Amino acid sequence: MPELLPQLEDSYNQRLDLVKASKIRSFDNQISDIEGLIKLTIGEPDFDTPDHIKEAAVKALNQNQTHYTAQAGTAALQEAIAGYLKRHHHLDYSAHSEIVVTVGATEAIYAILETLINPGDQFVIPTPAFALYEPIINLLGGEVIDVDTSETDFKLSPTVLEKVLSDNSRVKGVFLSYPNNPSGSTLSEDEIHALAKVIKKHHTFVISDEIYSDLTYDKKPYSIARDLPKQTIYISGVSKSYAMTGWRIGFVAAPADFIQRLRKVHAFMVTCPSAIDQAAAAEAFKNGDEDISQMRMEYRERRNVLYQGLTSMGMRPLYPEGAFYLFVPAPESFQNDDELFALRLARMAKVGVIPGSAFGNGGKGYVRLSYAASMTDIKEALRRIKTAINDGVFVND
């Protein structure tokens, strides 16, 4: 193998040194070779993509829809997204001037931040939070303000947000992600109103990642875009609600002026998403309401079984109102060492979870369990954890 010229060894983007590999993926890889492990690690629905969605993709393939599409997405998909947003979330977006189809929500996040960030711009991230936001901000020359929400029921407090925005003059945007990954917490309409009042006063963007909004169990989701349509950049996609993680279709909805700029970034990054995947996504957004209902019902049942099972063992999981995760504090004997507890679970109980510290300061001392797994695996995981507790393996001497 050829070696790099010595003169080039220090030629990389120096900001890459600030970015670490995803702790979610690295920890999952670390424990994956444990024989017989039940993995409640990755947020990967165990459902198959519904048949009518797959059939739409096959039809598109047979019709030779294998060419470039419009860079912002096909008209059919943009219109299907606009209809979905209106039907499910009471949001009015112009299909062709206020929506861009992206290669998953991941590209959406990167393209949004590339569109916004000037060196030194600050972004507020309430933690625990999805682990992707911070490294992208660092890579693009922005700065992160990590707001620990573990003392406020894992919800961003308007009082805390007011202080943060008053004390920091370079805040460009506030991230909101509810239902939250990893805690499963979400915000009521009144709580959204209170945050919107603060954000509106400070004239900043709000980046609202609502990829789990359809998986809200005990209340109807309410988007901050309804209160702040001129300041909100809305992110979602098909991965979680329709069991389409591998299809890689997301979208951004925002005011036309922002979308016009984001389109430039998006076009240089990916040209356009796959035509066949867009055909499948259009079918999902247009005709997939029943799919969402059925999966949400199943996730609710799994949540209840996992929550009640862990509670009966004396563990203290947060009660999740949405998404498909349970956030559980490590036993006191571990002194907030969530990674050590997660390793003990994997090695001694053969149950894989993710350390909460992977999600920022607000997640320290917790572990995340995904119930996007079969009921069979969930019940077996509970049996193994109970056995391990009875055997005393979670007592950290």
Side-chain angles (χ1 to χ4, degrees), residues 24 38 135 160 166 189 302 323 348 372:
I24 299 171
I38 292 178
V160 171
S166 296
E189 182 175 340
R302 296 176 186 182
M348 306 303 291

Side-chain angles (χ1 to χ4, degrees), residues 84 88-89 178-179 210-217 219 221 234 236-238 240-242 285 288-289 292-293 295-297 299-300 322-323:
Y84 156 85
H88 283 260
H89 301 292
Y178 295 98
E210 304 193 27
I211 193 72
Y212 293 101
S213 61
D214 290 319
L215 301 179
T216 302
Y217 305 116
K219 62 183 73 169
Y234 183 106
S236 193
V238 297
K240 311 301 182 179
S241 300
Y242 303 99
F285 283 123
D289 290 359
I292 294 173
S293 297
M295 291 185 207
R296 182 169 55 229
M297 189 183 310
Y299 285 134
R300 182 189 285 114

Side-chain angles (χ1 to χ4, degrees), residues 94 100 172 196 214 243:
S94 166
V100 168
K172 178 70 69 72
D214 290 319

Side-chain angles (χ1 to χ4, degrees), residues 175-368:
F175 273 86
L176 293 182
S177 181
Y178 295 98
N180 178 261
N181 172 15
S183 72
S185 65
T186 192
L187 300 176
S188 68
E189 182 175 340
D190 287 343
E191 289 169 330
I192 290 287
H193 291 330
L195 288 174
K197 185 176 180 181
V198 174
I199 293 169
K200 184 175 183 179
K201 171 185 172 184
H202 287 274
H203 307 292
T204 186
F205 285 103
V206 55
I207 299 137
S208 190
D209 184 347
E210 304 193 27
I211 193 72
Y212 293 101
S213 61
D214 290 319
L215 301 179
T216 302
Y217 305 116
D218 305 315
K219 62 183 73 169
K220 290 188 176 182
Y222 186 92
S223 175
I224 198 168
R226 294 176 67 177
D227 287 21
L228 299 175
K230 296 181 180 180
Q231 291 170 252
T232 300
I233 304 167
Y234 183 106
I235 302 169
S236 193
V238 297
S239 292
K240 311 301 182 179
S241 300
Y242 303 99
M244 295 176 67
T245 53
W247 298 78
R248 309 312 304 139
I249 295 292
F251 69 85
V252 180
D257 183 67
F258 176 83
I259 288 294
Q260 182 181 4
R261 288 164 171 76
L262 181 135
R263 283 183 174 185
K264 296 179 183 179
V265 175
H266 165 74
F268 288 127
M269 288 177 68
V270 299
T271 303
C272 66
S274 157
I276 297 166
D277 293 353
Q278 290 187 72
E283 172 66 17
F285 283 123
K286 188 175 181 180
N287 297 313
D289 290 359
E290 184 60 28
D291 302 316
I292 294 173
S293 297
Q294 290 178 358
M295 291 185 207
R296 182 169 55 229
M297 189 183 310
E298 177 66 23
Y299 285 134
R300 182 189 285 114
E301 184 178 355
R302 296 176 186 182
R303 174 199 65 177
N304 293 344
V305 168
L306 187 58
Y307 177 82
Q308 292 164 7
L310 292 174
T311 301
S312 70
M313 299 175 201
M315 303 184 82
R316 297 174 289 111
L318 302 180
Y319 183 74
E321 299 172 295
F324 39 59
Y325 307 106
L326 230 65
F327 215 41
V328 185
E332 291 182 2
S333 62
F334 284 83
Q335 299 180 331
N336 277 346
D337 192 337
D338 49 277
E339 186 165 350
L340 178 61
F341 179 53
L343 282 170
R344 189 73 62 86
L345 270 171
R347 291 169 178 167
M348 306 303 291
K350 293 195 174 182
V351 176
V353 303
I354 297 296
S357 55
F359 304 95
N361 290 329
K364 290 179 179 178
Y366 288 75
V367 294
R368 187 193 77 175

Side-chain angles (χ1 to χ4, degrees), residues 69-83:
T69 72
Q71 291 183 320
T74 65
L77 179 50
Q78 289 175 311
E79 289 163 6
I81 291 169

